[in-house]
């Protein structure tokens, strides 16, 4: 019996740690799939990132900032704050999503994904708000994009 209690007590911290790092509840939407892919590519190599930008970004967004420019921005971001881990989907619509994330150092920025208003809702832009914990997510800016 003592052995069983010891084993159970040893498992409690492990269960608590996994609950803290549980994946967020993603909505079943095209934009959520693009957001999940963005977080995944942050931990991949540059070839995976290049493929991500080509597959998940709208042609209009790539015309404004081509893939090579986006790869340079990605490198600078990773050098500055490292990869991000998604924690919670704070708000979402078909063309906008805010995700609370965690940096390797524990800071929790909010990542805003803006997408085309029509399916497949490819990405138009991504913003990272470095406000501290407890300050709330950034407001979704502007009216819905016109077609």
């Amino acid at each position: 019996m003592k052995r069983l209690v010891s084993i159970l007590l040893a498992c409690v911290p492990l269960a608590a740690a996994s609950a803290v790092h549980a994946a967020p509840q993603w909505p079943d939407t095209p934009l959520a799939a693009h957001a999940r892919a963005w977080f995944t590519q942050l931990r991949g190599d540059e070839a995976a990132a290049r493929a991500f930008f080509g597959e998940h970004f709208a042609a209009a967004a790539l015309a404004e900032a081509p893939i090579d420019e986006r790869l340079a921005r990605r490198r600078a971001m990773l050098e500055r704050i490292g990869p991000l881990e998604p924690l919670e989907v704070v708000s979402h619509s078909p063309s906008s999503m805010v995700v609370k994330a965690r940096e390797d150092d524990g800071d929790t920025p909010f990542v805003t994904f803006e997408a085309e208003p029509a399916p497949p809702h490819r990405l138009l832009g991504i913003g990272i708000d470095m406000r501290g914990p407890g300050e709330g997510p950034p407001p979704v800016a502007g009216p819905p994009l016109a077609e």
Side-chain angles (χ1 to χ4, degrees), residues 34-125:
H34 297 312
R36 286 192 317 268
W38 182 79
F39 282 105
T40 299
Q41 65 83 27
L42 291 177
R43 296 196 180 274
D45 61 15
E46 197 158 296
R50 181 177 292 280
F52 163 80
F53 289 123
E55 182 180 339
H56 295 276
F57 266 78
L62 293 175
E64 287 183 25
I67 290 176
D68 287 336
E69 182 178 329
R70 292 179 186 280
L71 288 170
R73 291 178 189 175
R74 175 186 180 269
R75 280 190 298 274
M77 184 203 80
L78 290 173
E79 287 174 10
R80 197 172 60 254
I81 64 175
L84 298 171
E85 175 187 353
L87 298 175
E88 172 189 2
V89 175
V90 178
S91 65
H92 68 90
S93 72
S95 62
S96 182
M97 178 177 291
V98 177
V99 178
K100 183 177 180 182
R102 180 181 19 254
E103 297 176 19
D104 285 343
D105 67 4
D107 287 345
T108 53
F110 292 91
V111 183
T112 301
F113 297 89
E114 296 293 337
E116 297 171 308
H121 303 290
R122 291 193 198 282
L123 294 169
L124 294 171

